[in-house]
Amino acid sequence: MKRTKKHLGWICTICTILALPTTIQAQNCDDFSLLKKGTTLEYTDYDKKGKETSKSSHNTQEIVNNGTRLTALVGVEVTDMKNKKNTFSNTYEISCENGVLSIDMLRFFDTEKLSQFGENMDVEISGNAMNFPADTNEGDILNDGNITVTVSNSGVAFMTLSMDITNRRVISNETISTPAGEFECKKLTYDFDSKAGFIKVRGSAEQWFTKDNIMVQSITYNKKGKALGKSMLTKLNL
């Protein structure tokens, strides 16, 4: 896919934590598998009937360490399972400072929509990052997220997609099994508002993350509480 320059507004609301020695800060960030070169995650997306709709592969390609902050460049490739000729590839960033992992919102955007853009479209992406502290407890409230994707052809914009995520909170600890294995997870919930042209969708979601902040499963619901689809970790290479 042809891509324009990607402008990422890293407007991260970093959680306030106690001041720690530099050596401990670095160790907290080093513990995250997402910040290790070669880590590869595969996710499969399913519709409400359980049918595969897309697959995405996320590979940590490069790590930059400036002493107290680690930044990883992650490559993502998405394939539409309905038409495997439809693919989307891009990169996003994951960073860590003071034990707080910040993940670019592109990571959480609907991969099925991304794969349908085709190879001849220009895509411009802007947004912020969502934060995942190393240690969270039931009831913790996390920062909001937003992303806007503008799709154009020959310089003419013809579609804008956006998503706002609010009310993110940690609610419980659960064990989740997927084709990639069995994982002890913290369960998060949030509300979302998405727009695709004139189509607006409002709903909620549940997500399960390992202590290492790897997403294991995500389920989205419409405003009436009916499931819209699921994303599941199907392969893991650390």
Side-chain angles (χ1 to χ4, degrees):
M1 164 176 287
K2 183 179 179 182
R3 291 175 288 152
T4 59
K5 292 182 179 179
K6 189 171 82 169
H7 305 284
L8 294 176
W10 285 89
I11 311 170
C12 304
T13 308
I14 302 298
C15 298
T16 303
I17 62 173
L18 296 175
L20 299 173
T22 301
T23 54
I24 296 179
Q25 293 175 355
Q27 181 62 39
N28 283 344
C29 291
D30 286 340
D31 287 343
F32 291 118
S33 297
L34 295 174
L35 294 172
K36 295 179 180 178
K37 189 174 181 179
T39 293
T40 302
L41 313 175
E42 180 197 80
Y43 290 90
T44 302
D45 295 339
Y46 306 86
D47 63 17
K48 60 184 179 182
K49 295 182 179 180
K51 184 178 180 179
E52 292 185 2
T53 57
S54 65
K55 286 185 180 290
S56 61
S57 177
H58 304 252
N59 177 258
T60 302
Q61 299 175 342
E62 184 179 347
I63 305 294
V64 177
N65 186 346
N66 70 359
T68 60
R69 184 182 180 89
L70 284 177
T71 302
L73 183 67
V74 181
V76 56
E77 184 172 319
V78 185
T79 301
D80 183 351
M81 300 307 290
K82 297 176 183 177
N83 183 356
K84 293 186 179 181
K85 292 182 179 180
N86 286 342
T87 61
F88 174 87
S89 60
N90 211 315
T91 57
Y92 61 89
E93 290 184 352
I94 299 176
S95 63
C96 181
E97 189 169 16
N98 295 330
V100 178
L101 197 71
S102 298
I103 304 178
D104 181 354
M105 269 286 293
L106 177 63
R107 165 65 189 84
F108 303 101
F109 197 66
D110 188 338
T111 56
E112 184 180 0
K113 288 186 175 66
L114 295 177
S115 64
Q116 292 174 356
F117 291 156
E119 291 292 332
N120 299 317
M121 303 298 175
D122 296 322
V123 179
E124 185 172 337
I125 301 168
S126 62
N128 72 335
M130 292 200 298
N131 300 330
F132 297 84
D135 296 313
T136 55
N137 298 300
E138 184 176 333
D140 285 353
I141 298 174
L142 307 180
N143 76 312
D144 298 337
N146 65 79
I147 185 172
T148 299
V149 178
T150 302
V151 185
S152 60
N153 191 359
S154 300
V156 179
F158 69 90
M159 181 179 291
T160 299
L161 305 95
S162 64
M163 181 169 65
D164 293 312
I165 289 179
T166 57
N167 299 323
R168 291 174 66 224
R169 63 183 65 234
V170 182
I171 64 167
S172 63
N173 295 302
E174 296 182 5
T175 301
I176 297 294
S177 295
T178 78
E182 184 174 277
F183 305 91
E184 296 298 322
C185 298
K186 52 190 174 185
K187 181 180 179 180
L188 280 65
T189 59
Y190 64 80
D191 298 323
F192 69 86
D193 284 282
S194 66
K195 297 179 183 178
F198 296 105
I199 301 175
K200 300 179 181 180
V201 177
R202 177 175 294 178
S204 61
E206 298 173 321
Q207 291 183 325
W208 290 262
F209 288 83
T210 66
K211 185 178 180 181
D212 197 18
N213 283 319
I214 293 175
M215 192 182 81
V216 173
Q217 182 173 270
S218 177
I219 303 175
T220 56
Y221 302 88
N222 64 19
K223 62 182 180 180
K224 294 182 179 181
K226 293 184 178 181
L228 297 173
K230 175 189 292 188
S231 181
M232 184 181 295
L233 180 67
T234 45
K235 290 183 182 179
L236 174 65
N237 182 20
L238 302 179

